[in-house]
Amino acid sequence: MIKKPFCTLAHARGEHQRKNMKQALKDGVCLFCPEHLAKYHTSPVERKGKFWTITKNDYPYAGTKIHYLFIA
């Protein structure tokens, strides 16, 4: 069985993001899972529900003023 990676390095928008993604792949964890989010993400969680989290994106798209992540 082929195990899919938790993230795709080609989607990184900068070297710091790529470094975090590589570390998560090496650690074999999902960097968006609640138990790992704080290790790989520096922006504070703004809202949290039973099954979701809202936080600002550490690596926003160019030209955006505010870029939030809604993590299920």
Side-chain angles (χ1 to χ4, degrees), residues 40-55:
Y40 302 99
H41 188 73
T42 58
S43 294
V45 169
E46 299 210 6
R47 296 272 193 268
K48 191 171 187 158
K50 186 174 181 181
F51 299 108
W52 51 268
T53 301
I54 301 173
T55 182

Side-chain angles (χ1 to χ4, degrees), residues 1-67:
M1 185 163 130
I2 298 173
K3 187 175 180 182
K4 289 186 174 185
F6 295 109
C7 57
T8 305
L9 295 175
H11 294 212
R13 289 187 293 280
E15 192 51 43
H16 189 260
Q17 184 180 21
R18 189 177 335 283
K19 179 183 170 192
N20 276 346
M21 292 167 79
K22 283 182 180 180
Q23 186 61 51
L25 289 169
K26 181 180 174 186
D27 294 344
V29 299
C30 173
L31 52 105
F32 295 109
C33 286
E35 62 270 23
H36 305 294
L37 186 63
K39 180 176 180 181
Y40 302 99
H41 188 73
T42 58
S43 294
V45 169
E46 299 210 6
R47 296 272 193 268
K48 191 171 187 158
K50 186 174 181 181
F51 299 108
W52 51 268
T53 301
I54 301 173
T55 182
K56 285 185 180 173
N57 191 337
D58 286 344
Y59 312 102
Y61 291 118
T64 59
K65 291 184 179 182
I66 300 174
H67 186 171

